[in-house]
Amino acid sequence: MTEVDIKKGLAGVVVDVTAISKVNPETNSLLYRGYPVQELAATQPFEAVAHLLWTGNLPTAAELAELRATERQHRALSPEVKAAIDILPTTAHPMDEVRTAVSVIGALDATGDVMDAAGTPEENQERAIRLWAQLPAIVAYGQRRRRGEELIAPRDDLDYSANFLWMTFGEEQHEIVVDAFNRSMTLYAEHSFNASTFTSRVIASTLSDLYSAVTGAIGALKGPLHGGANEAVLHIFDAIGSAENVTPWLDEALGAKRKIMGFGHRVYKRGDSRVPTMKAALDTLVTHYDRPEVAALYDALESEFVARKGIYPNLDYPSGPAYNLMGFDTLTFTPLFVAARVTGWTAHIMEQLASNALIRPLSEYVGPAERHIDGYVATD
Ligand code: SDX
């Protein structure tokens, strides 16, 4: 049998081109439409980064004002979506809750011609903005209902990040918290052909609709090897407790051959380009909330794991403790990832729809050789 070169997990395989972002492990860098993500996270509101991902350019003042006005029009949780969420038990997986909400939004967005699922580029740009605008309310309400708290209406005097925090906590947050949150949204927004984004492209490649592609991506992101890792990082911090317990905890975990969530990456092998920016945001929160023990545990675990395994933190490692300090429940972490990544997903969905190329790879058959029924009937 001729040897076939199988690329399991598509590791290292370039399957298409994209103009949206460039992940460069050699220089440990990440560009969104050519801009270094560190510069965007440090200087731009998330609304401007969303505009950049969708259109290819940072917005003019007029374009930013228009996007902010449109986002404000769609940020209130619609009664239909709230009703759909309220059907679910508060013990449902938060990602199933988010996926349900997006499915309902899609089902209600009848474009008239139900067989024209893909829609036009203009329709999909509007859908992307509406979905992006609705997700903060969906995520915020999810945390509040799990806590037995009521829905909080959005405030038009607050921009995206400040309003997201308002709808979650019911009080305005310090600018240090808003800035750290805004940076996290930018850092989580886009990362080329990661598992959930590639899932959304496969669905879009059949000319299915944007909502179906986003719900598929949510399913992929739910997994602990991908988006579920930031939640798992907090469970690890809780299990270790303090810096003094890192060594015995690592001895046991590595001895049991467990993967340490928040570390490692399929593409970055010498550290995730986004970590320094998110770590800097975490440091501002550690100071703001006077929680030096969080930094001590973070540093102790990172330095010992890197020394023992030569595997570096990914974005989920600093973002978990950062979201915890902001007051988000651990179950809310991966839905926060959805709220940010929906910008990258929808940019890729629109790019895939424009390329109009069905994604359908091959497989190498290793089952039984051809054989025939020869009168076979199922008998005991
Ligand atoms: C995200 O793709 C993206 O861009 C994703 C993402 C994005 O923005 O979309 O960056 C977001 O998903 C970040 C990754 C979050 N996941 C985790 O933190 C889960 C823990 N990480 C690992 O599961 C792992 O590092 C992966 C899945 C992320 C990447 O794994 P690879 O590249 O497939 O490498 P591998 O699993 O083959 O590991 C190679 C070796 C193995 O050892 P051996 O079996 O060869 O002895 O390294 C070991 C692994 O066991 N290893 C780890 C480890 N990661 C790799 N060992 C312990 N803990 C880890 N975290």
Side-chain angles (χ1 to χ4, degrees):
M1 183 172 84
T2 52
E3 201 53 35
V4 178
D5 182 14
I6 304 282
K7 300 289 189 189
K8 209 156 184 63
L10 294 181
V13 175
V14 178
V15 293
D16 205 343
V17 297
T18 180
I20 300 170
S21 71
K22 177 179 174 59
V23 178
N24 190 337
E26 276 62 51
T27 57
N28 199 9
S29 64
L30 170 59
L31 305 178
Y32 289 176
R33 303 280 192 181
Y35 290 100
V37 73
Q38 295 83 340
E39 291 178 24
L40 292 168
T43 63
Q44 300 302 313
F46 186 43
E47 296 92 322
V49 174
H51 184 281
L52 172 67
L53 290 171
W54 285 322
T55 68
N57 293 301
L58 284 168
T60 62
E63 289 166 335
L64 182 57
E66 184 188 356
L67 180 59
R68 282 180 154 151
T70 307
E71 187 259 328
R72 279 165 169 74
Q73 282 165 8
H74 298 285
R75 59 175 39 169
L77 190 63
S78 74
E80 298 88 350
V81 173
K82 182 179 183 301
I85 293 173
D86 286 342
I87 290 170
L88 303 176
T90 52
T91 51
H93 193 296
M95 290 292 271
D96 297 339
E97 185 182 78
V98 173
R99 196 180 63 240
T100 300
V102 172
S103 278
V104 166
I105 292 171
L108 293 174
D109 178 21
T111 57
D113 175 358
V114 289
M115 291 316 289
D116 173 24
T120 66
E122 295 73 25
E123 282 174 337
N124 285 319
Q125 180 60 78
E126 285 170 21
R127 287 170 174 164
I129 293 172
R130 288 203 307 267
L131 207 42
W132 166 68
Q134 270 280 296
L135 274 163
I138 293 165
V139 175
Y141 181 52
Q143 169 155 312
R144 295 188 64 80
R145 68 189 287 265
R146 283 189 290 277
R147 290 183 176 190
E149 297 166 349
E150 291 302 311
L151 173 70
I152 289 182
R155 277 180 42 183
D156 278 353
D157 61 323
L158 299 176
D159 285 334
Y160 176 93
S161 291
N163 177 63
F164 200 145
L165 294 164
W166 160 258
M167 288 193 292
T168 306
F169 302 111
E171 53 190 54
E172 266 185 71
Q173 300 299 305
H174 191 284
E175 63 183 356
I176 287 175
V177 180
V178 176
D179 178 61
F181 182 78
N182 188 72
R183 288 171 185 245
S184 77
M185 289 288 111
T186 291
L187 293 170
Y188 267 120
E190 158 63 10
H191 211 241
S192 186
F193 282 16
N194 58 85
S196 56
T197 299
F198 191 63
T199 300
S200 72
R201 289 191 73 123
V202 170
I203 296 170
S205 80
T206 71
L207 297 188
S208 184
D209 66 286
L210 175 141
Y211 300 104
S212 297
V214 170
T215 52
I218 292 171
L221 192 70
K222 178 180 175 184
L225 291 190
H226 188 14
N230 57 15
E231 185 184 320
V233 169
L234 242 290
H235 294 314
I236 287 172
F237 273 47
D238 292 343
I240 296 175
S242 65
E244 299 69 47
N245 297 333
V246 163
T247 301
W249 187 86
L250 262 183
D251 288 341
E252 191 277 325
L254 295 179
K257 294 261 184 256
R258 285 207 302 274
K259 290 268 178 83
I260 313 304
M261 299 296 144
F263 287 88
H265 200 277
R266 172 60 60 80
V267 179
Y268 295 119
K269 291 307 180 188
R270 288 194 310 279
D272 183 326
S273 65
R274 301 162 293 183
V275 166
T277 306
M278 193 63 221
K279 177 60 169 59
L282 172 60
D283 290 344
T284 65
L285 294 168
V286 164
T287 306
H288 177 67
Y289 290 110
D290 190 21
R291 296 289 303 280
E293 78 283 2
V294 174
L297 173 50
Y298 179 101
D299 293 341
L301 179 56
E302 176 188 3
S303 56
E304 186 160 338
F305 187 73
V306 170
R308 290 171 72 160
K309 296 286 285 184
I311 296 169
Y312 295 87
N314 57 56
L315 177 57
D316 294 318
Y317 187 57
S319 67
Y323 286 142
N324 176 260
L325 287 175
M326 290 182 211
F328 288 105
D329 294 340
T330 304
L331 285 173
T332 308
F333 291 5
T334 312
L336 289 171
F337 198 151
V338 174
R341 188 57 59 91
V342 72
T343 55
W345 288 337
T346 49
H348 279 277
I349 290 162
M350 291 188 276
E351 186 178 67
Q352 183 68 41
L353 285 170
S355 80
N356 205 355
L358 177 68
I359 296 174
R360 199 282 187 215
L362 297 177
S363 60
E364 175 65 6
Y365 177 72
V366 292
E370 185 173 346
R371 52 186 172 165
H372 299 282
I373 294 294
D374 287 341
Y376 169 82
V377 174
T379 56
D380 292 334

